[in-house]
Amino acid sequence: MTDAEAHELPDLTLDEARAQAQSLTEQILEARDAYYGRDTLIVDDATYDEWMHRLEAIERLHPELQGQDSPTLTVGAAESSLFAPVEHAERMLSLDNVFSDEEFLAWAARVERDAGRPVHYLCELKIDGLALSLRYEHGRLTSAATRGDGRVGEDVTDNVRRIRGIPHVLEGEGHPDLVEVRGEVFFTVADFESLNAYQEAMGDRLFANPRNAASGSLRQKTEGKNERQLQAVHERLSRLRLTVHGIGAWPNPPVATQSEVYGLLRSWGLPTSPYFRVAESAQGADDFIRHYGEHRHAVEHEIDGIVVKVDELALHDELGATSRAPRWAIAYKYPPEQVNTKLLDIVVSVGRTGRATPFAVMEPARVAGSVVRQATLHNQDVVKAKGVLIGDTVVLRKAGDVIPEVLGPVVELRDGTEREFVMPELCPECGSRLAPAKEGDIDLRCPNARSCPAQVRGRVEHIGSRGALDIEGLGEVSAAALTQPVRPETPPLVTEAGLFDLRAQDLFGIDVVVRDAETGLPRLLDDGTPDTRSPFRRQRKAPLPGREATASRPDPRHDPDGPFDGDDDFILSAVATELLANLEAAKTKELWRFLVALNIRHVGPVAARALAQWFGSVSAIRAASRDDLASVEGVGGIIADSLLDWFEVDWHREIVERWEAAGARLATPGHPGPGASVAEGGVLEGITVVATGSLEGFSREGAQEAIIKAGGKAASSVSKKTDFVAAGPGAGSKLAKAEELGVRIIDAAQFRILVEQGPSALDALAPDAG
C-alpha cells in the first residue's frame, strides 16, 4: 500500500470503507478461486498484494468490517466438490512476500529484534508449483492433500501414489506415529516441454506454463475416463516431481534446526532440494537471493523467488504466526522477465460487467517460461499513456511472472508504418454503443447487459465458480459453448435465466472457440488458429453396420452420421451428462450461493451470507425496504441500494422466476422469516455467537451454519450484545475485542458443546473447562 493510500483511509466513511472492503474481498476471492480452483492466474503478485494491504488497512481502521471469512484471515481457496475433503493435522499456512532487498532486510531486522538475538537463515529456491501435504502414519503414506483453505484440502492420494520419487513407505527406522510432510509438486522444464509435445501428439490442449500443468495434472479425476484418457492422466502424473521443504504435524521432532529436518527427511527417502543453504546472517541470505536472481534458469525447474526461514526450530514457536503466514519465514519474489516483440493489433474485449478492455495482440514471445500472444492495456487512456502504436516493437514483461504486461514501445525501431489505436464506438460482441457507466468514468461499457453474448458468458462462468454455485463442468469452455457457440446460430442460453431449463437436446452439435479466461478473446493454438472444440460431443449407442463405434467425434462439422435430428440412437457424452447432473444437484445449494450467483453488484460471499442468514429467502430480500436491508450487519447502505436497483430490472426478476420454476431452491428450508433464527426454540435461541479463527472440526461456513441451526445469531463482529466468542488459531482482533469487553471466550471443543447442548451444558462444566 502506498503512503497516499494510507493517508486516504482516515477520510473514508464507514459505508465507503464497507463498500471498498467488500469489493476488495470479491477481487481477492475471485483471484484465489481462479488460482486454486481453476488453475488460472488472473492477477499479478504485486496487484494482489496491494489489494491485501489495502484490505488489511481498512480492517485495522474499522475492525467491525473484518468478517470471519475475510481474506486477511485465510489462505488458499474454499472447499472443492471435485475431491473429498481432508483436514490437515496442522494448519498449512501461506507465506508473506517481499519484493526488494530493502524489504527483505527490514523483515530480517524485525525477526532478530523479536528473537532478541542474531539468527541463522535457511535459504531455498521458491519452486513455482503446487503445495502438497503428505501424511505418514507409522512410516506409511496414508493420505495426500492440497493446501485448500489451509485447514481442509483436497484428497489427491490416489494420484500422488503415481508420482515417482514419493515413497509409499518411509526408509529407515524410528518413524513417528504421525508426521505431515509439506512440499511442492512441479514439472521440470524438460518434462514440461516433453508433456506439451505429448499433448500435441494426442490432439489435446497445450499447457501455458509448468505451474498450471502441475496443478491441472495432480487435480485430475479418473472416474468416467476411457482408456486413452486414463493413459494421458497417468502419463502426466508420472512426469510430476516433488520436493519436500518442511513439516506440519510432528510431535517433538528429534532435531533442533530446519536444516537438520531436511537431513532427516532425506534419510527417510523423501526428495529434498539440493539447492538450500544456511546463512549466518541476513546479508548472507541476501547474497543467496542475489545469486539465484542472476542464475534462475540454471536449475531444472521454474522458480519465482527465494524462501528464507529462520533455521532454529525453537524460534518458530517464539516468533509465531498470523492467521495466514508464519512470522519466521518470508518469500522474496523476483522481478518479472521482459522481452521485445511486435504489436500486431489492439482489439477490444467485453467482460462480465460490460467493461470494454483493449488488449494487445502480439507476435508470440516466450517470456518467463511460457508463450505470450495477448496482454491487457486496461483502457484507452492507458494505451495513450504507454505511447504504443499498432505495428510497434514493444517491451513485454510478465508481472510477477504471471500476467503479461506491455511496458511501452521501442521508439527507435519505428519505420513509419505504425498507426494509432482508436477505441471503437460500438460493442464488438453485440453492436451496442459503448459509453461510460457514469459521468467521469474512464472505462467504457456495453449497456446491453441482458443479452450481450460476452457478458452472458462471463456471468454463466461466474455462476459455476467455487465462490458461487460451485458447479463442476460449468467452466470457461462450457460457458462459452452455451452462450457464444460457432454453431448453432442461436445459443442454448441467451441469458442465464434458462440455465436450469437446459435439456439433453440443447447440448448436441455445439462447436465453440475457447475464450481466454482473462481477456475473453479467442484462445489461439501455436499455429495461430483459434482453439475450436466440441465440448458436448455426442456418441452413438451402437455402431452403424460396417462401422466401428466411436466414443466421440473429433470434428462434428464433418460427422459422417450427419447432423443430429433427434435420433434415439444417439446419447449424450459423459461430459454433457455430468453437467446436466451437476446442474440438477446445484438446485439445492445454500441460499447464499444463489445470491452470489445472481451477479448483483457488491454482493459477494460475505454480504450474501449475511443476507441469507437474516432474510432466509430471495423473495424476502426482494420485498425488504432499503432500511431493512441496510440494517443487516455486514450489508449497509451501498449494498442495499445495489439490491434495490438489481430487482428493479425486469430481466433480473425473470432470472429469479425461471430458476424457481425450474426447481432451484431460493430459500433456506425451515427459515421462519426476516430477522428470526432458523431453528426457533433451539438451544441457542436469543444467543449471539461470534466464531473467529480456525475452529477444529468446523469450516468457516460450517461454524456459522451450526450457530444458526441451533437457533442462535451468527454475528460477524464482537459487541456488548455478543454472548460468546468461539476463538481458534488466527482469531486476531475479535479475540482482543472480546477480552476488552469481557465477553465469554470458548475454544473449539466448547463451541461444539454450545451448539449441540446449549449454554447450560457449558455452565455445568468444571470451572477450569470453561
Side-chain angles (χ1 to χ4, degrees):
M1 184 176 61
T2 65
D3 291 339
E5 288 174 324
H7 290 309
E8 288 172 6
L9 286 180
D11 297 329
L12 290 178
T13 67
L14 180 59
D15 274 355
E16 289 170 340
R18 178 178 287 112
Q20 278 200 28
Q22 176 68 28
S23 177
L24 288 165
T25 296
E26 291 178 19
Q27 290 175 297
I28 292 167
L29 293 179
E30 183 178 2
R32 285 186 181 178
D33 177 61
Y35 185 82
Y36 293 104
R38 305 194 304 272
D39 306 319
T40 302
L41 300 141
I42 62 173
V43 65
D44 61 85
D45 285 346
T47 302
Y48 182 87
D49 286 336
E50 286 176 10
W51 292 347
M52 287 292 293
H53 293 161
R54 179 77 174 180
L55 182 57
E56 287 168 350
I58 290 173
E59 291 177 347
R60 281 196 297 271
L61 187 64
H62 297 286
E64 66 271 25
L65 298 181
Q66 188 179 51
Q68 183 176 335
D69 55 357
S70 171
T72 61
L73 299 177
T74 60
V75 301
E79 293 178 22
S80 165
S81 58
L82 187 60
F83 293 88
V86 172
E87 185 170 351
H88 303 301
E90 185 74 21
R91 276 191 307 157
M92 199 169 178
L93 299 177
S94 185
L95 289 174
D96 287 332
N97 299 320
V98 293
F99 296 89
S100 68
D101 291 346
E102 292 76 15
E103 289 180 341
F104 167 71
L105 293 173
W107 170 82
R110 287 195 299 272
V111 165
E112 297 190 12
R113 180 199 65 203
D114 293 343
R117 60 184 175 88
V119 302
H120 294 85
Y121 297 95
L122 183 142
C123 313
E124 58 191 348
L125 308 185
K126 186 177 184 299
I127 302 173
D128 194 14
L130 179 73
L132 186 71
S133 179
L134 303 175
R135 182 185 180 106
Y136 286 90
E137 297 181 20
H138 305 286
R140 293 186 174 275
L141 178 65
T142 57
S143 69
T146 60
R147 184 198 308 276
D149 65 359
R151 179 63 70 183
V152 178
E154 298 172 312
D155 186 350
V156 289
T157 309
D158 290 344
N159 286 350
V160 163
R161 291 185 186 278
R162 292 186 173 273
I163 299 176
R164 287 179 291 175
I166 298 181
H168 298 182
V169 178
L170 297 177
E171 299 175 6
E173 298 177 348
H175 308 121
D177 293 344
L178 168 66
V179 62
E180 280 183 334
V181 179
R182 304 286 166 71
E184 201 82 7
V185 173
F186 62 93
F187 281 111
T188 66
V189 173
D191 275 337
F192 170 68
E193 293 174 351
S194 177
L195 171 62
N196 262 349
Y198 175 84
Q199 293 287 107
E200 186 174 24
M202 298 296 287
D204 291 331
R205 129 180 119 81
L206 304 187
F207 293 101
N209 55 56
R211 193 269 165 198
N212 277 22
S215 178
S217 298
L218 186 63
R219 300 175 68 251
Q220 294 177 100
K221 297 291 283 185
T222 56
E223 290 86 348
K225 286 184 166 54
N226 59 37
E227 186 175 346
R228 188 194 73 80
Q229 292 169 327
L230 281 174
Q231 180 184 353
V233 170
H234 296 160
E235 172 70 19
R236 287 162 62 181
L237 290 170
S238 70
R239 295 175 182 272
L240 284 171
R241 297 291 180 271
L242 172 75
T243 291
V244 298
H245 54 58
I247 54 175
W250 188 359
N252 305 314
V255 290
T257 64
Q258 182 77 23
S259 49
E260 290 176 312
V261 167
Y262 286 2
L264 187 55
L265 294 176
R266 192 163 50 249
S267 73
W268 290 348
L270 289 160
T272 58
S273 173
Y275 299 104
F276 79 86
R277 175 186 136 193
V278 177
E280 295 187 358
S281 66
Q283 188 57 54
D286 195 51
D287 291 343
F288 184 93
I289 291 169
R290 289 171 178 268
H291 172 80
Y292 278 102
E294 297 170 1
H295 300 87
R296 59 194 293 185
H297 297 299
V299 294
E300 67 270 19
H301 52 70
E302 295 283 354
I303 65 172
D304 57 359
I306 298 296
V307 175
V308 180
K309 305 173 182 176
V310 172
D311 195 36
E312 292 86 353
L313 294 181
L315 288 177
H316 291 193
D317 288 336
E318 286 186 32
L319 294 169
T322 68
S323 61
R324 294 175 47 251
R327 292 189 174 92
W328 45 265
I330 201 75
Y332 184 107
K333 302 296 285 291
Y334 286 136
E337 295 181 319
Q338 58 188 48
V339 297
N340 288 358
T341 188
K342 199 77 168 178
L343 179 61
L344 302 177
D345 199 359
I346 298 177
V347 297
V348 172
S349 169
V350 175
R352 170 167 64 106
T353 62
R355 181 170 178 256
T357 304
F359 280 88
V361 178
M362 298 162 289
E363 285 184 350
R366 188 170 185 84
V367 53
S370 62
V371 175
V372 175
R373 293 184 175 84
Q374 300 167 344
T376 181
L377 291 168
H378 302 289
N379 57 55
Q380 65 270 31
D381 285 7
V382 171
V383 177
K384 290 179 182 178
K386 289 182 180 289
V388 293
L389 303 176
I390 297 171
D392 267 337
T393 296
V394 295
V395 180
L396 173 70
R397 76 170 182 178
K398 290 187 72 177
D401 285 354
V402 172
I403 302 298
E405 178 185 3
V406 174
L407 295 181
V410 184
V411 177
E412 57 269 27
L413 295 181
R414 286 178 175 166
D415 60 12
T417 63
E418 299 80 13
R419 68 185 192 278
E420 188 175 349
F421 165 72
V422 178
M423 190 72 178
E425 295 182 356
L426 303 180
C427 172
E429 298 286 353
C430 69
S432 300
R433 185 166 295 279
L434 299 174
K438 60 180 184 292
E439 187 176 352
D441 277 2
I442 296 173
D443 294 330
L444 299 180
R445 295 181 185 272
C446 171
N448 181 21
R450 179 186 186 276
S451 54
C452 175
Q455 296 185 60
V456 180
R457 173 188 56 80
R459 294 198 300 266
V460 169
E461 185 177 345
H462 169 74
I463 290 168
S465 69
R466 286 189 183 186
L469 288 180
D470 193 16
I471 302 172
E472 179 65 24
L474 189 60
E476 60 180 36
V477 176
S478 54
L482 294 170
T483 59
Q484 292 180 288
V486 175
R487 73 162 192 168
E489 185 175 341
T490 301
L493 293 180
V494 178
T495 78
E496 61 268 43
L499 182 63
F500 292 105
D501 293 322
L502 286 173
R503 302 163 300 171
Q505 53 264 44
D506 297 324
L507 303 184
F508 280 115
I510 297 177
D511 290 350
V512 64
V513 173
V514 178
R515 303 272 175 158
D516 184 89
E518 181 206 359
T519 67
L521 298 173
R523 185 178 292 163
L524 303 179
L525 301 175
D526 273 353
D527 62 5
T529 59
D531 183 359
T532 304
R533 303 186 199 175
S534 305
F536 309 125
R537 292 174 183 172
R538 56 185 166 128
Q539 62 188 32
R540 187 176 287 282
K541 291 180 182 178
L544 292 176
R547 190 180 292 155
E548 290 186 0
T550 55
S552 62
R553 307 290 181 201
D555 188 349
R557 290 168 292 184
H558 307 291
D559 192 334
D561 297 323
F564 175 69
D565 57 5
D567 190 336
D568 287 340
D569 285 340
F570 286 101
I571 59 175
L572 274 181
S573 66
V575 173
T577 302
E578 181 182 14
L579 174 59
L580 291 175
N582 291 340
L583 284 169
E584 185 64 30
K587 292 178 181 179
T588 58
K589 290 285 180 83
E590 301 96 322
L591 174 59
W592 72 265
R593 290 188 174 276
F594 278 101
L595 294 174
V596 175
L598 288 173
N599 282 280
I600 303 170
R601 184 170 171 78
H602 299 311
V603 179
V606 177
R609 289 190 185 99
L611 289 162
Q613 178 186 330
W614 185 261
F615 290 101
S617 69
V618 172
S619 60
I621 294 170
R622 179 176 171 180
S625 68
R626 183 187 188 277
D627 288 345
D628 289 340
L629 293 168
S631 65
V632 175
E633 188 174 9
V635 178
I638 293 174
I639 296 175
D641 289 337
S642 183
L643 286 160
L644 293 172
D645 290 345
W646 193 88
F647 281 109
E648 281 292 315
V649 179
D650 56 357
W651 66 269
H652 289 168
R653 297 193 299 271
E654 180 192 1
I655 296 170
V656 173
E657 290 160 4
R658 288 188 61 181
W659 283 11
E660 284 188 317
R665 191 178 67 191
L666 303 187
T668 301
H671 196 292
S677 299
V678 173
E680 193 169 358
V683 296
L684 291 185
E685 184 176 7
I687 301 296
T688 299
V689 184
V690 173
T692 180
S694 299
L695 295 171
E696 186 174 356
F698 295 89
S699 65
R700 295 186 300 277
E701 295 85 5
Q704 286 191 331
E705 289 166 6
I707 297 166
I708 297 168
K709 197 171 182 180
K713 178 184 176 183
S716 58
S717 60
V718 180
S719 70
K720 292 180 179 179
K721 296 180 180 179
T722 306
D723 296 292
F724 294 91
V725 170
S733 61
K734 295 179 185 178
L735 178 59
K737 186 71 172 178
E739 291 171 341
E740 177 188 335
L741 295 176
V743 176
R744 185 171 179 181
I745 299 166
I746 58 176
D747 59 22
Q750 294 167 321
F751 176 69
R752 183 175 294 280
I753 294 171
L754 178 69
V755 296
E756 291 177 354
Q757 303 176 45
S760 59
L762 283 184
D763 295 337
L765 293 175
D768 61 346

